[in-house]
Amino acid sequence: MANASIDLRSDTVTKPSAEMRRAMAEAEVGDDVFIEDPTINKLQERAAEIFGREAGLFVPSGSMGNLTCILAQARQGQEVICEESGHVYNYEMASMSAIAGVLPRLVVGEDGILSWQSISKAIRPKIYYRPQTALIALENTHNMAGGTVYPTEVAEEICDRAHEAGIRVHLDGARIFNAATYLGEKVADMTKKFDSIQFCLSKGLGAPVGSMIVGTREFIERCRSIRKMLGGGMRQAGVLAAAGLIALEKGPKRLQIDHDNAKLLATRLAAVPGVTLNPAQVQTNIVIFNLKTSGWSSSDFLQTLAKRGVLGIPVDNERVRMVTHLDVDRNDVEKASAVVQEVLHR
Ligand code: TLP
């Protein structure tokens, strides 16, 4: 599998560039638990600056970033509102309940996008014998809805109204730069009302490892203790931050290429009988299509595809996800689409 030539399973599969590897080898390092790694410090300052926040914190993964923010903002027995197909609920090993002791309260979004109207119905009344809503977690872009983007005014309304109700709002912004590219807006402007933000360096931006949390200095100091509690206090992690800095500076500038490739992939796939997909709904770098009318299950289809050197992942028994990234180009997308056509119509 790993030798397949066109890997569309995720934008996490990218390999660090030669420039990143050089920077990693040459990185100035120190012990980050003593807050003495200059490269980590620089990455954290730069992330905070880009998001217009006081401080940032490097964490090993997006999952740890989300959990850290939940632990910092919700107590055991409280509720966290999240979208039904959201990552934090479906793909993070139930950490919010297993570790943070909170109850996820699910709301169904339209293409993954929640509104204040849908959220407000799930907010608990302030009665002492009912669990209390502490936090709302939004995901932008929304992964399993196919990389969909929150209009900034929708996210802002949720933040404003939540704050009026005494509820905090977390952003799982694993792919927030993809959302920014789609909207043509700055991440600082799009996210200014959120209480906490987690974004990934290791997805479309191309770093081998790592995510960032940004927020107020006080919030980040709290997160630093929680990160240590979770086992995420790292030592000479500047070797990772060196790649992260390049990802942060250069990654966002090329995301439009991934979006164009995803659109092309979607257009080609939509033309294949047996594939149900509306290319107009593809906003960023994630393409999800349905095979129901082809008679194939997603797992049989993907196994057959893998034998021909194209990889995707199943969303469920009928749906398949393919993600474009910096290690695939237009030509790869054309080839992958041709292989899909071939497999479905042998
Ligand atoms: N997503 C991965 C898989 O876990 C599905 C992927 O291939 O897309 N938030 C969102 C929205 C994510 O998509 C992911 C990873 C995470 C958080 C977690 O990041 P990591 O993998 O660094 O823990």
Side-chain angles (χ1 to χ4, degrees), residues 66-75 78-82 88 96 102-105 119 123 132-138 162 166-171 195-196 219:
N66 284 338
L67 177 59
T68 300
C69 290
I70 289 171
L71 279 161
Q73 299 177 98
R75 289 196 316 274
Q78 291 187 321
E79 288 191 345
V80 175
I81 291 179
C82 39
V88 74
M96 77 163 86
V102 300
L103 186 64
R105 185 79 194 276
I119 289 172
I123 290 173
Q132 292 296 295
T133 313
L135 186 68
I136 297 164
L138 305 186
I167 296 164
R168 293 173 70 90
V169 191
H170 169 67
L171 174 63
D195 299 288
S196 59
F219 179 76

PDB file of all heavy atoms in Angstrom, residues 66-75 78-82 88 96 102-105 119 123 132-138 162 166-171 195-196 219:
ATOM      1  N   ASN A  66      -7.120  19.514  20.377  1.00  0.00           N
ATOM      2  CA  ASN A  66      -8.553  19.613  20.684  1.00  0.00           C
ATOM      3  C   ASN A  66      -8.833  19.207  22.129  1.00  0.00           C
ATOM      4  O   ASN A  66      -9.560  19.891  22.851  1.00  0.00           O
ATOM      5  CB  ASN A  66      -9.365  18.716  19.741  1.00  0.00           C
ATOM      6  CG  ASN A  66      -9.499  19.320  18.345  1.00  0.00           C
ATOM      7  OD1 ASN A  66      -9.362  20.521  18.165  1.00  0.00           O
ATOM      8  ND2 ASN A  66      -9.766  18.470  17.363  1.00  0.00           N
ATOM      9  N   LEU A  67      -8.250  18.088  22.551  1.00  0.00           N
ATOM     10  CA  LEU A  67      -8.496  17.607  23.917  1.00  0.00           C
ATOM     11  C   LEU A  67      -7.986  18.619  24.949  1.00  0.00           C
ATOM     12  O   LEU A  67      -8.646  18.869  25.963  1.00  0.00           O
ATOM     13  CB  LEU A  67      -7.830  16.231  24.110  1.00  0.00           C
ATOM     14  CG  LEU A  67      -7.948  15.632  25.511  1.00  0.00           C
ATOM     15  CD1 LEU A  67      -9.405  15.450  25.937  1.00  0.00           C
ATOM     16  CD2 LEU A  67      -7.211  14.284  25.586  1.00  0.00           C
ATOM     17  N   THR A  68      -6.823  19.181  24.680  1.00  0.00           N
ATOM     18  CA  THR A  68      -6.260  20.171  25.604  1.00  0.00           C
ATOM     19  C   THR A  68      -7.226  21.347  25.759  1.00  0.00           C
ATOM     20  O   THR A  68      -7.500  21.807  26.878  1.00  0.00           O
ATOM     21  CB  THR A  68      -4.891  20.657  25.079  1.00  0.00           C
ATOM     22  OG1 THR A  68      -4.019  19.531  24.987  1.00  0.00           O
ATOM     23  CG2 THR A  68      -4.272  21.700  25.989  1.00  0.00           C
ATOM     24  N   CYS A  69      -7.776  21.814  24.636  1.00  0.00           N
ATOM     25  CA  CYS A  69      -8.699  22.959  24.683  1.00  0.00           C
ATOM     26  C   CYS A  69     -10.000  22.591  25.392  1.00  0.00           C
ATOM     27  O   CYS A  69     -10.599  23.414  26.082  1.00  0.00           O
ATOM     28  CB  CYS A  69      -8.979  23.471  23.269  1.00  0.00           C
ATOM     29  SG  CYS A  69      -7.541  24.261  22.533  1.00  0.00           S
ATOM     30  N   ILE A  70     -10.435  21.348  25.226  1.00  0.00           N
ATOM     31  CA  ILE A  70     -11.653  20.911  25.922  1.00  0.00           C
ATOM     32  C   ILE A  70     -11.391  20.846  27.431  1.00  0.00           C
ATOM     33  O   ILE A  70     -12.155  21.371  28.245  1.00  0.00           O
ATOM     34  CB  ILE A  70     -12.148  19.556  25.361  1.00  0.00           C
ATOM     35  CG1 ILE A  70     -12.713  19.757  23.952  1.00  0.00           C
ATOM     36  CG2 ILE A  70     -13.211  18.935  26.286  1.00  0.00           C
ATOM     37  CD1 ILE A  70     -13.032  18.483  23.198  1.00  0.00           C
ATOM     38  N   LEU A  71     -10.263  20.237  27.800  1.00  0.00           N
ATOM     39  CA  LEU A  71      -9.935  20.137  29.229  1.00  0.00           C
ATOM     40  C   LEU A  71      -9.800  21.521  29.867  1.00  0.00           C
ATOM     41  O   LEU A  71     -10.107  21.703  31.049  1.00  0.00           O
ATOM     42  CB  LEU A  71      -8.628  19.354  29.413  1.00  0.00           C
ATOM     43  CG  LEU A  71      -8.763  17.826  29.361  1.00  0.00           C
ATOM     44  CD1 LEU A  71      -7.412  17.170  29.086  1.00  0.00           C
ATOM     45  CD2 LEU A  71      -9.348  17.276  30.659  1.00  0.00           C
ATOM     46  N   ALA A  72      -9.317  22.476  29.080  1.00  0.00           N
ATOM     47  CA  ALA A  72      -9.107  23.826  29.626  1.00  0.00           C
ATOM     48  C   ALA A  72     -10.416  24.589  29.782  1.00  0.00           C
ATOM     49  O   ALA A  72     -10.461  25.598  30.493  1.00  0.00           O
ATOM     50  CB  ALA A  72      -8.162  24.602  28.711  1.00  0.00           C
ATOM     51  N   GLN A  73     -11.503  24.117  29.126  1.00  0.00           N
ATOM     52  CA  GLN A  73     -12.708  24.950  29.089  1.00  0.00           C
ATOM     53  C   GLN A  73     -13.991  24.252  29.531  1.00  0.00           C
ATOM     54  O   GLN A  73     -15.056  24.870  29.522  1.00  0.00           O
ATOM     55  CB  GLN A  73     -12.896  25.509  27.662  1.00  0.00           C
ATOM     56  CG  GLN A  73     -11.721  26.391  27.241  1.00  0.00           C
ATOM     57  CD  GLN A  73     -11.840  26.890  25.819  1.00  0.00           C
ATOM     58  OE1 GLN A  73     -12.274  28.002  25.599  1.00  0.00           O
ATOM     59  NE2 GLN A  73     -11.482  26.064  24.851  1.00  0.00           N
ATOM     60  N   ALA A  74     -13.894  22.966  29.870  1.00  0.00           N
ATOM     61  CA  ALA A  74     -15.111  22.266  30.319  1.00  0.00           C
ATOM     62  C   ALA A  74     -14.747  21.334  31.482  1.00  0.00           C
ATOM     63  O   ALA A  74     -13.695  20.706  31.458  1.00  0.00           O
ATOM     64  CB  ALA A  74     -15.707  21.465  29.164  1.00  0.00           C
ATOM     65  N   ARG A  75     -15.621  21.284  32.462  1.00  0.00           N
ATOM     66  CA  ARG A  75     -15.383  20.398  33.610  1.00  0.00           C
ATOM     67  C   ARG A  75     -16.129  19.080  33.429  1.00  0.00           C
ATOM     68  O   ARG A  75     -17.077  18.989  32.651  1.00  0.00           O
ATOM     69  CB  ARG A  75     -15.895  21.055  34.895  1.00  0.00           C
ATOM     70  CG  ARG A  75     -15.077  22.228  35.383  1.00  0.00           C
ATOM     71  CD  ARG A  75     -15.441  22.549  36.847  1.00  0.00           C
ATOM     72  NE  ARG A  75     -16.887  22.522  37.099  1.00  0.00           N
ATOM     73  CZ  ARG A  75     -17.700  23.546  36.902  1.00  0.00           C
ATOM     74  NH1 ARG A  75     -17.237  24.677  36.433  1.00  0.00           N
ATOM     75  NH2 ARG A  75     -19.000  23.441  37.171  1.00  0.00           N
ATOM     76  N   GLN A  78     -19.965  18.307  32.388  1.00  0.00           N
ATOM     77  CA  GLN A  78     -20.543  19.355  31.538  1.00  0.00           C
ATOM     78  C   GLN A  78     -20.666  18.840  30.106  1.00  0.00           C
ATOM     79  O   GLN A  78     -20.134  17.780  29.766  1.00  0.00           O
ATOM     80  CB  GLN A  78     -19.669  20.612  31.593  1.00  0.00           C
ATOM     81  CG  GLN A  78     -19.730  21.300  32.956  1.00  0.00           C
ATOM     82  CD  GLN A  78     -18.988  22.626  32.938  1.00  0.00           C
ATOM     83  OE1 GLN A  78     -17.935  22.759  32.332  1.00  0.00           O
ATOM     84  NE2 GLN A  78     -19.556  23.610  33.618  1.00  0.00           N
ATOM     85  N   GLU A  79     -21.335  19.619  29.257  1.00  0.00           N
ATOM     86  CA  GLU A  79     -21.542  19.188  27.872  1.00  0.00           C
ATOM     87  C   GLU A  79     -20.743  20.025  26.878  1.00  0.00           C
ATOM     88  O   GLU A  79     -20.516  21.219  27.096  1.00  0.00           O
ATOM     89  CB  GLU A  79     -23.028  19.283  27.506  1.00  0.00           C
ATOM     90  CG  GLU A  79     -23.843  18.203  28.208  1.00  0.00           C
ATOM     91  CD  GLU A  79     -25.271  18.085  27.678  1.00  0.00           C
ATOM     92  OE1 GLU A  79     -25.744  19.001  26.971  1.00  0.00           O
ATOM     93  OE2 GLU A  79     -25.917  17.077  27.977  1.00  0.00           O
ATOM     94  N   VAL A  80     -20.338  19.339  25.813  1.00  0.00           N
ATOM     95  CA  VAL A  80     -19.678  20.028  24.694  1.00  0.00           C
ATOM     96  C   VAL A  80     -20.533  19.775  23.453  1.00  0.00           C
ATOM     97  O   VAL A  80     -20.758  18.621  23.068  1.00  0.00           O
ATOM     98  CB  VAL A  80     -18.245  19.492  24.463  1.00  0.00           C
ATOM     99  CG1 VAL A  80     -17.630  20.130  23.221  1.00  0.00           C
ATOM    100  CG2 VAL A  80     -17.367  19.757  25.689  1.00  0.00           C
ATOM    101  N   ILE A  81     -21.007  20.837  22.836  1.00  0.00           N
ATOM    102  CA  ILE A  81     -21.826  20.695  21.629  1.00  0.00           C
ATOM    103  C   ILE A  81     -20.904  20.537  20.427  1.00  0.00           C
ATOM    104  O   ILE A  81     -19.977  21.331  20.232  1.00  0.00           O
ATOM    105  CB  ILE A  81     -22.745  21.920  21.451  1.00  0.00           C
ATOM    106  CG1 ILE A  81     -23.820  21.898  22.557  1.00  0.00           C
ATOM    107  CG2 ILE A  81     -23.380  21.945  20.053  1.00  0.00           C
ATOM    108  CD1 ILE A  81     -24.787  23.063  22.524  1.00  0.00           C
ATOM    109  N   CYS A  82     -21.134  19.463  19.660  1.00  0.00           N
ATOM    110  CA  CYS A  82     -20.346  19.297  18.434  1.00  0.00           C
ATOM    111  C   CYS A  82     -21.211  18.711  17.317  1.00  0.00           C
ATOM    112  O   CYS A  82     -22.306  18.202  17.568  1.00  0.00           O
ATOM    113  CB  CYS A  82     -19.103  18.445  18.670  1.00  0.00           C
ATOM    114  SG  CYS A  82     -19.294  17.067  19.759  1.00  0.00           S
ATOM    115  N   VAL A  88     -13.892  15.607  16.225  1.00  0.00           N
ATOM    116  CA  VAL A  88     -13.683  15.522  17.672  1.00  0.00           C
ATOM    117  C   VAL A  88     -14.579  14.441  18.292  1.00  0.00           C
ATOM    118  O   VAL A  88     -14.221  13.805  19.283  1.00  0.00           O
ATOM    119  CB  VAL A  88     -13.887  16.927  18.305  1.00  0.00           C
ATOM    120  CG1 VAL A  88     -15.349  17.315  18.370  1.00  0.00           C
ATOM    121  CG2 VAL A  88     -13.222  17.030  19.646  1.00  0.00           C
ATOM    122  N   MET A  96     -12.829  13.036  24.733  1.00  0.00           N
ATOM    123  CA  MET A  96     -13.526  14.055  25.529  1.00  0.00           C
ATOM    124  C   MET A  96     -14.321  13.416  26.659  1.00  0.00           C
ATOM    125  O   MET A  96     -14.427  13.989  27.742  1.00  0.00           O
ATOM    126  CB  MET A  96     -14.378  14.991  24.658  1.00  0.00           C
ATOM    127  CG  MET A  96     -15.671  14.447  24.182  1.00  0.00           C
ATOM    128  SD  MET A  96     -16.726  15.798  23.614  1.00  0.00           S
ATOM    129  CE  MET A  96     -16.187  15.969  21.947  1.00  0.00           C
ATOM    130  N   VAL A 102     -16.421  14.779  29.828  1.00  0.00           N
ATOM    131  CA  VAL A 102     -17.558  15.599  29.390  1.00  0.00           C
ATOM    132  C   VAL A 102     -18.470  14.794  28.468  1.00  0.00           C
ATOM    133  O   VAL A 102     -18.072  13.768  27.922  1.00  0.00           O
ATOM    134  CB  VAL A 102     -17.107  16.900  28.667  1.00  0.00           C
ATOM    135  CG1 VAL A 102     -16.266  17.765  29.579  1.00  0.00           C
ATOM    136  CG2 VAL A 102     -16.385  16.601  27.369  1.00  0.00           C
ATOM    137  N   LEU A 103     -19.681  15.294  28.332  1.00  0.00           N
ATOM    138  CA  LEU A 103     -20.681  14.606  27.515  1.00  0.00           C
ATOM    139  C   LEU A 103     -20.803  15.335  26.179  1.00  0.00           C
ATOM    140  O   LEU A 103     -21.152  16.511  26.158  1.00  0.00           O
ATOM    141  CB  LEU A 103     -22.011  14.655  28.266  1.00  0.00           C
ATOM    142  CG  LEU A 103     -23.192  13.886  27.701  1.00  0.00           C
ATOM    143  CD1 LEU A 103     -22.933  12.389  27.682  1.00  0.00           C
ATOM    144  CD2 LEU A 103     -24.442  14.187  28.538  1.00  0.00           C
ATOM    145  N   PRO A 104     -20.504  14.646  25.060  1.00  0.00           N
ATOM    146  CA  PRO A 104     -20.722  15.320  23.778  1.00  0.00           C
ATOM    147  C   PRO A 104     -22.215  15.436  23.501  1.00  0.00           C
ATOM    148  O   PRO A 104     -22.962  14.480  23.713  1.00  0.00           O
ATOM    149  CB  PRO A 104     -20.047  14.399  22.757  1.00  0.00           C
ATOM    150  CG  PRO A 104     -19.892  13.087  23.430  1.00  0.00           C
ATOM    151  CD  PRO A 104     -19.948  13.295  24.908  1.00  0.00           C
ATOM    152  N   ARG A 105     -22.636  16.597  23.069  1.00  0.00           N
ATOM    153  CA  ARG A 105     -24.044  16.803  22.700  1.00  0.00           C
ATOM    154  C   ARG A 105     -24.048  17.084  21.205  1.00  0.00           C
ATOM    155  O   ARG A 105     -23.482  18.070  20.757  1.00  0.00           O
ATOM    156  CB  ARG A 105     -24.586  17.997  23.486  1.00  0.00           C
ATOM    157  CG  ARG A 105     -26.053  18.260  23.290  1.00  0.00           C
ATOM    158  CD  ARG A 105     -26.895  17.284  24.126  1.00  0.00           C
ATOM    159  NE  ARG A 105     -28.285  17.320  23.698  1.00  0.00           N
ATOM    160  CZ  ARG A 105     -29.183  18.200  24.118  1.00  0.00           C
ATOM    161  NH1 ARG A 105     -28.851  19.113  25.003  1.00  0.00           N
ATOM    162  NH2 ARG A 105     -30.415  18.175  23.665  1.00  0.00           N
ATOM    163  N   ILE A 119     -27.884  25.139  17.034  1.00  0.00           N
ATOM    164  CA  ILE A 119     -27.164  24.944  18.303  1.00  0.00           C
ATOM    165  C   ILE A 119     -28.028  25.340  19.495  1.00  0.00           C
ATOM    166  O   ILE A 119     -28.040  24.655  20.526  1.00  0.00           O
ATOM    167  CB  ILE A 119     -25.860  25.780  18.300  1.00  0.00           C
ATOM    168  CG1 ILE A 119     -24.849  25.167  17.334  1.00  0.00           C
ATOM    169  CG2 ILE A 119     -25.266  25.887  19.696  1.00  0.00           C
ATOM    170  CD1 ILE A 119     -23.603  26.008  17.114  1.00  0.00           C
ATOM    171  N   ILE A 123     -28.802  23.764  23.776  1.00  0.00           N
ATOM    172  CA  ILE A 123     -28.216  24.357  24.986  1.00  0.00           C
ATOM    173  C   ILE A 123     -29.112  24.066  26.183  1.00  0.00           C
ATOM    174  O   ILE A 123     -30.337  24.250  26.130  1.00  0.00           O
ATOM    175  CB  ILE A 123     -27.982  25.867  24.781  1.00  0.00           C
ATOM    176  CG1 ILE A 123     -26.841  26.021  23.765  1.00  0.00           C
ATOM    177  CG2 ILE A 123     -27.623  26.560  26.090  1.00  0.00           C
ATOM    178  CD1 ILE A 123     -26.602  27.414  23.327  1.00  0.00           C
ATOM    179  N   GLN A 132     -24.707  21.052  32.312  1.00  0.00           N
ATOM    180  CA  GLN A 132     -24.602  22.394  31.716  1.00  0.00           C
ATOM    181  C   GLN A 132     -23.721  22.395  30.475  1.00  0.00           C
ATOM    182  O   GLN A 132     -22.701  21.695  30.411  1.00  0.00           O
ATOM    183  CB  GLN A 132     -24.053  23.367  32.757  1.00  0.00           C
ATOM    184  CG  GLN A 132     -25.026  23.619  33.906  1.00  0.00           C
ATOM    185  CD  GLN A 132     -26.319  24.303  33.425  1.00  0.00           C
ATOM    186  OE1 GLN A 132     -26.291  25.433  32.967  1.00  0.00           O
ATOM    187  NE2 GLN A 132     -27.453  23.603  33.527  1.00  0.00           N
ATOM    188  N   THR A 133     -24.126  23.191  29.496  1.00  0.00           N
ATOM    189  CA  THR A 133     -23.343  23.348  28.276  1.00  0.00           C
ATOM    190  C   THR A 133     -22.163  24.266  28.583  1.00  0.00           C
ATOM    191  O   THR A 133     -22.364  25.426  28.947  1.00  0.00           O
ATOM    192  CB  THR A 133     -24.194  24.013  27.169  1.00  0.00           C
ATOM    193  OG1 THR A 133     -25.457  23.362  27.107  1.00  0.00           O
ATOM    194  CG2 THR A 133     -23.484  23.957  25.830  1.00  0.00           C
ATOM    195  N   ALA A 134     -20.945  23.739  28.418  1.00  0.00           N
ATOM    196  CA  ALA A 134     -19.766  24.569  28.705  1.00  0.00           C
ATOM    197  C   ALA A 134     -19.137  25.110  27.437  1.00  0.00           C
ATOM    198  O   ALA A 134     -18.576  26.208  27.426  1.00  0.00           O
ATOM    199  CB  ALA A 134     -18.730  23.745  29.472  1.00  0.00           C
ATOM    200  N   LEU A 135     -19.219  24.315  26.366  1.00  0.00           N
ATOM    201  CA  LEU A 135     -18.395  24.622  25.201  1.00  0.00           C
ATOM    202  C   LEU A 135     -19.105  24.185  23.923  1.00  0.00           C
ATOM    203  O   LEU A 135     -19.830  23.187  23.912  1.00  0.00           O
ATOM    204  CB  LEU A 135     -17.071  23.841  25.346  1.00  0.00           C
ATOM    205  CG  LEU A 135     -15.957  24.082  24.340  1.00  0.00           C
ATOM    206  CD1 LEU A 135     -15.387  25.495  24.498  1.00  0.00           C
ATOM    207  CD2 LEU A 135     -14.819  23.063  24.537  1.00  0.00           C
ATOM    208  N   ILE A 136     -18.853  24.932  22.856  1.00  0.00           N
ATOM    209  CA  ILE A 136     -19.288  24.534  21.506  1.00  0.00           C
ATOM    210  C   ILE A 136     -18.012  24.333  20.698  1.00  0.00           C
ATOM    211  O   ILE A 136     -17.103  25.175  20.762  1.00  0.00           O
ATOM    212  CB  ILE A 136     -20.166  25.635  20.868  1.00  0.00           C
ATOM    213  CG1 ILE A 136     -21.446  25.838  21.679  1.00  0.00           C
ATOM    214  CG2 ILE A 136     -20.492  25.304  19.408  1.00  0.00           C
ATOM    215  CD1 ILE A 136     -22.188  27.136  21.367  1.00  0.00           C
ATOM    216  N   ALA A 137     -17.925  23.216  19.966  1.00  0.00           N
ATOM    217  CA  ALA A 137     -16.725  22.970  19.147  1.00  0.00           C
ATOM    218  C   ALA A 137     -17.128  22.949  17.675  1.00  0.00           C
ATOM    219  O   ALA A 137     -17.910  22.095  17.253  1.00  0.00           O
ATOM    220  CB  ALA A 137     -16.079  21.651  19.551  1.00  0.00           C
ATOM    221  N   LEU A 138     -16.621  23.890  16.906  1.00  0.00           N
ATOM    222  CA  LEU A 138     -16.900  23.935  15.463  1.00  0.00           C
ATOM    223  C   LEU A 138     -15.693  23.405  14.698  1.00  0.00           C
ATOM    224  O   LEU A 138     -14.563  23.501  15.179  1.00  0.00           O
ATOM    225  CB  LEU A 138     -17.183  25.373  15.009  1.00  0.00           C
ATOM    226  CG  LEU A 138     -18.297  26.143  15.727  1.00  0.00           C
ATOM    227  CD1 LEU A 138     -18.515  27.496  15.034  1.00  0.00           C
ATOM    228  CD2 LEU A 138     -19.595  25.351  15.770  1.00  0.00           C
ATOM    229  N   ALA A 162     -23.215  32.545  21.786  1.00  0.00           N
ATOM    230  CA  ALA A 162     -22.720  31.628  22.820  1.00  0.00           C
ATOM    231  C   ALA A 162     -22.151  32.431  23.989  1.00  0.00           C
ATOM    232  O   ALA A 162     -22.441  32.143  25.163  1.00  0.00           O
ATOM    233  CB  ALA A 162     -21.646  30.709  22.240  1.00  0.00           C
ATOM    234  N   GLY A 166     -22.921  32.681  28.093  1.00  0.00           N
ATOM    235  CA  GLY A 166     -21.876  32.224  29.024  1.00  0.00           C
ATOM    236  C   GLY A 166     -21.194  30.939  28.576  1.00  0.00           C
ATOM    237  O   GLY A 166     -20.655  30.185  29.386  1.00  0.00           O
ATOM    238  N   ILE A 167     -21.225  30.666  27.268  1.00  0.00           N
ATOM    239  CA  ILE A 167     -20.632  29.433  26.721  1.00  0.00           C
ATOM    240  C   ILE A 167     -19.426  29.802  25.867  1.00  0.00           C
ATOM    241  O   ILE A 167     -19.462  30.787  25.124  1.00  0.00           O
ATOM    242  CB  ILE A 167     -21.692  28.686  25.874  1.00  0.00           C
ATOM    243  CG1 ILE A 167     -22.854  28.247  26.782  1.00  0.00           C
ATOM    244  CG2 ILE A 167     -21.088  27.481  25.154  1.00  0.00           C
ATOM    245  CD1 ILE A 167     -24.098  27.859  26.002  1.00  0.00           C
ATOM    246  N   ARG A 168     -18.375  29.004  25.987  1.00  0.00           N
ATOM    247  CA  ARG A 168     -17.167  29.287  25.199  1.00  0.00           C
ATOM    248  C   ARG A 168     -17.228  28.529  23.870  1.00  0.00           C
ATOM    249  O   ARG A 168     -17.970  27.567  23.731  1.00  0.00           O
ATOM    250  CB  ARG A 168     -15.925  28.908  26.008  1.00  0.00           C
ATOM    251  CG  ARG A 168     -15.766  29.822  27.227  1.00  0.00           C
ATOM    252  CD  ARG A 168     -14.652  29.367  28.118  1.00  0.00           C
ATOM    253  NE  ARG A 168     -13.325  29.553  27.530  1.00  0.00           N
ATOM    254  CZ  ARG A 168     -12.580  30.648  27.668  1.00  0.00           C
ATOM    255  NH1 ARG A 168     -13.022  31.686  28.364  1.00  0.00           N
ATOM    256  NH2 ARG A 168     -11.372  30.718  27.125  1.00  0.00           N
ATOM    257  N   VAL A 169     -16.417  28.966  22.899  1.00  0.00           N
ATOM    258  CA  VAL A 169     -16.440  28.328  21.574  1.00  0.00           C
ATOM    259  C   VAL A 169     -15.016  27.980  21.151  1.00  0.00           C
ATOM    260  O   VAL A 169     -14.112  28.827  21.152  1.00  0.00           O
ATOM    261  CB  VAL A 169     -17.101  29.232  20.506  1.00  0.00           C
ATOM    262  CG1 VAL A 169     -17.341  28.426  19.223  1.00  0.00           C
ATOM    263  CG2 VAL A 169     -18.419  29.815  21.003  1.00  0.00           C
ATOM    264  N   HIS A 170     -14.849  26.702  20.822  1.00  0.00           N
ATOM    265  CA  HIS A 170     -13.553  26.194  20.352  1.00  0.00           C
ATOM    266  C   HIS A 170     -13.626  25.956  18.846  1.00  0.00           C
ATOM    267  O   HIS A 170     -14.641  25.494  18.330  1.00  0.00           O
ATOM    268  CB  HIS A 170     -13.232  24.872  21.069  1.00  0.00           C
ATOM    269  CG  HIS A 170     -12.057  24.148  20.479  1.00  0.00           C
ATOM    270  ND1 HIS A 170     -10.774  24.649  20.545  1.00  0.00           N
ATOM    271  CD2 HIS A 170     -11.968  22.970  19.788  1.00  0.00           C
ATOM    272  CE1 HIS A 170      -9.941  23.808  19.922  1.00  0.00           C
ATOM    273  NE2 HIS A 170     -10.636  22.780  19.456  1.00  0.00           N
ATOM    274  N   LEU A 171     -12.520  26.232  18.172  1.00  0.00           N
ATOM    275  CA  LEU A 171     -12.452  25.940  16.735  1.00  0.00           C
ATOM    276  C   LEU A 171     -11.458  24.809  16.485  1.00  0.00           C
ATOM    277  O   LEU A 171     -10.269  24.941  16.796  1.00  0.00           O
ATOM    278  CB  LEU A 171     -11.994  27.194  15.970  1.00  0.00           C
ATOM    279  CG  LEU A 171     -11.742  26.969  14.467  1.00  0.00           C
ATOM    280  CD1 LEU A 171     -13.009  26.565  13.737  1.00  0.00           C
ATOM    281  CD2 LEU A 171     -11.142  28.231  13.832  1.00  0.00           C
ATOM    282  N   ASP A 195     -12.796  31.391  21.348  1.00  0.00           N
ATOM    283  CA  ASP A 195     -12.031  31.421  22.594  1.00  0.00           C
ATOM    284  C   ASP A 195     -10.758  30.608  22.463  1.00  0.00           C
ATOM    285  O   ASP A 195      -9.747  30.906  23.094  1.00  0.00           O
ATOM    286  CB  ASP A 195     -12.899  30.864  23.728  1.00  0.00           C
ATOM    287  CG  ASP A 195     -14.135  31.725  23.912  1.00  0.00           C
ATOM    288  OD1 ASP A 195     -13.995  32.850  24.421  1.00  0.00           O
ATOM    289  OD2 ASP A 195     -15.235  31.290  23.487  1.00  0.00           O
ATOM    290  N   SER A 196     -10.808  29.546  21.686  1.00  0.00           N
ATOM    291  CA  SER A 196      -9.604  28.724  21.480  1.00  0.00           C
ATOM    292  C   SER A 196      -9.595  28.220  20.043  1.00  0.00           C
ATOM    293  O   SER A 196     -10.660  28.002  19.457  1.00  0.00           O
ATOM    294  CB  SER A 196      -9.598  27.529  22.440  1.00  0.00           C
ATOM    295  OG  SER A 196     -10.740  26.728  22.255  1.00  0.00           O
ATOM    296  N   PHE A 219      -4.715  31.664  28.803  1.00  0.00           N
ATOM    297  CA  PHE A 219      -5.274  30.400  28.304  1.00  0.00           C
ATOM    298  C   PHE A 219      -4.151  29.451  27.880  1.00  0.00           C
ATOM    299  O   PHE A 219      -4.175  28.253  28.189  1.00  0.00           O
ATOM    300  CB  PHE A 219      -6.223  30.682  27.128  1.00  0.00           C
ATOM    301  CG  PHE A 219      -6.816  29.433  26.540  1.00  0.00           C
ATOM    302  CD1 PHE A 219      -7.838  28.755  27.181  1.00  0.00           C
ATOM    303  CD2 PHE A 219      -6.333  28.915  25.342  1.00  0.00           C
ATOM    304  CE1 PHE A 219      -8.376  27.587  26.648  1.00  0.00           C
ATOM    305  CE2 PHE A 219      -6.860  27.746  24.806  1.00  0.00           C
ATOM    306  CZ  PHE A 219      -7.881  27.085  25.460  1.00  0.00           C
TER     307      PHE A 219
END
